[in-house]
Amino acid sequence: MKAKILTYLKINIPFLCLLCCLATLASFKTMTQNDKIMQQEEPEKFLCIEIYGKKGSNVKVRLNDIPVSELLIENEKGYGNSLTLVNYYAIPGINTLSVYPLSQKGTATIRLVRYNKGEITGENNGETLLKIEIENDDTPIHKKIELSANRKRWSWIDTDIINGKKSKEEAITFSKSFYKIMEQNDISKMIAAADPILNYEILSKPKTSKEKLIKEWTKGLNMVFTEKEIYDDINSISIKLNPIANGKLFEVTREDGSFLFRTSDKNEFPVGFKSIIGRKNGVWKFYH
């Protein structure tokens, strides 16, 4: 198995998923074994979730009830692995790592691991904080770990609990409204709706100004969301709200599980936006 070197390149593309076709979007959160390079400037230490699967193992992993990684191996004799950066999903104090088997075959090893900048990744590298080994069946596994109380406090932690009927109605209204914003190619409103995500970047990279980030997002979004894009009729789409983060956030999809906030499949290369929303101080926005 090849190792990967965690290197921080001088680039900042928080909307990388927007530059890819839909197939890439669907698996963006999972960094697979093809000599991928971690692209971040900060911090000096960071958290990753690694999955190592064998014999056709299929598993999904959540950190603090937020979907962060998934490994699907179609060949029953196949094996593979994934690596996902999870700094934004970790909280000060008690964290819960959850593993959900998606098949009844194969085995998997899941690690929550801390790496230093420039460190080589791999099954035996980094500082293992928590390790789960499973033989796939229908039983989810949840394990807790306490992380430093000095960790950064991401804004999603302080969002409202949104498990009531009124909250769900508001979320649907926001989702339809934002889809219209995408259709209108209103880049400034798209960026405004993603303000918490920009603030994550500022918190992680204090040397980067918000003005610079907004300029980069504006340039990138204008490259991929053009007036030529074809959209679906939002009123014909069945919107599904998947509660995550223990009732603090929704992952918004279509009934078939695909992204809601994307252009139509009629495009040669459909592109999409973020998929997780939450409410804070009465305002709905996108969160990491």
Side-chain angles (χ1 to χ4, degrees):
M1 182 177 294
K2 296 180 181 178
K4 296 188 284 287
I5 298 178
L6 293 172
T7 307
Y8 293 88
L9 304 182
K10 289 284 186 177
I11 66 172
N12 179 14
I13 311 179
F15 43 80
L16 178 61
C17 59
L18 303 173
L19 308 179
C20 306
C21 66
L22 185 59
T24 304
L25 283 168
S27 60
F28 174 67
K29 286 188 288 189
T30 300
M31 300 286 287
T32 54
Q33 175 64 30
N34 294 321
D35 294 325
K36 298 291 185 184
I37 301 296
M38 295 300 298
Q39 298 173 339
Q40 281 278 25
E41 292 179 2
E42 296 290 346
E44 294 294 320
K45 292 179 180 288
F46 50 91
L47 296 175
C48 290
I49 284 179
E50 298 174 349
I51 308 175
Y52 297 89
K54 298 178 181 178
K55 299 179 181 179
S57 176
N58 296 333
V59 296
K60 180 181 290 186
V61 177
R62 291 189 177 203
L63 182 60
N64 297 316
D65 196 38
I66 299 177
V68 293
S69 189
E70 187 174 279
L71 181 65
L72 303 176
I73 303 174
E74 295 182 1
N75 187 336
E76 291 191 5
K77 295 182 180 180
Y79 65 94
N81 63 73
S82 69
L83 181 150
T84 309
L85 183 69
V86 296
N87 278 24
Y88 295 129
Y89 311 108
I91 63 176
I94 301 299
N95 289 252
T96 302
L97 183 65
S98 302
V99 178
Y100 297 88
L102 301 177
S103 64
Q104 293 188 342
K105 57 187 177 182
T107 62
T109 299
I110 298 89
R111 284 205 310 163
L112 176 64
V113 55
R114 180 158 46 211
Y115 284 105
N116 295 314
K117 178 179 177 180
E119 192 170 358
I120 297 175
T121 68
E123 202 164 1
N124 299 312
N125 296 328
E127 178 187 358
T128 301
L129 303 179
L130 186 61
K131 187 175 183 179
I132 298 174
E133 296 179 306
I134 66 168
E135 291 189 10
N136 281 343
D137 56 23
D138 294 325
T139 307
I141 296 175
H142 309 280
K143 289 199 174 182
K144 297 184 182 298
I145 180 171
E146 185 169 4
L147 298 177
S148 170
N150 296 323
R151 292 193 59 79
K152 293 181 174 65
R153 188 173 181 86
W154 311 113
S155 58
W156 69 265
I157 299 172
D158 299 313
T159 54
D160 301 336
I161 295 294
I162 50 174
N163 54 8
K165 180 180 178 181
K166 186 175 183 294
S167 294
K168 293 176 181 178
E169 291 173 348
E170 289 179 5
I172 294 292
T173 299
F174 170 80
S175 298
K176 289 184 175 181
S177 175
F178 186 81
Y179 197 88
K180 292 289 186 181
I181 288 173
M182 290 173 58
E183 282 188 276
Q184 295 161 5
N185 201 37
D186 194 331
I187 301 300
S188 62
K189 288 185 178 179
M190 292 173 69
I191 293 174
D195 188 64
I197 298 174
L198 271 74
N199 290 334
Y200 292 152
E201 299 294 324
I202 296 297
L203 194 58
S204 294
K205 308 168 188 175
K207 294 181 181 179
T208 300
S209 70
K210 192 164 187 178
E211 291 75 15
K212 180 181 178 182
L213 279 179
I214 290 174
K215 286 182 180 178
E216 291 177 353
W217 275 61
T218 300
K219 181 180 178 181
L221 289 170
N222 276 318
M223 288 172 57
V224 294
F225 286 97
T226 68
E227 295 179 354
K228 296 180 181 180
E229 302 297 332
I230 302 170
Y231 289 85
D232 300 311
D233 178 4
I234 187 61
N235 294 316
S236 69
I237 300 174
S238 180
I239 299 175
K240 185 176 181 181
L241 301 174
N242 305 299
I244 62 174
N246 298 307
K248 285 182 169 288
L249 301 170
F250 286 132
E251 184 179 40
V252 187
T253 66
R254 304 181 186 211
E255 193 62 38
D256 63 1
S258 65
F259 285 109
L260 171 65
F261 304 112
R262 61 171 171 85
T263 56
S264 174
D265 289 337
K266 296 175 183 177
N267 293 279
E268 183 178 2
F269 298 110
V271 293
F273 201 70
K274 298 290 185 176
S275 62
I276 294 176
I277 65 172
R279 186 185 65 207
K280 190 174 183 180
N281 299 325
V283 180
W284 289 86
K285 292 189 176 182
F286 287 87
Y287 290 81
H288 229 293

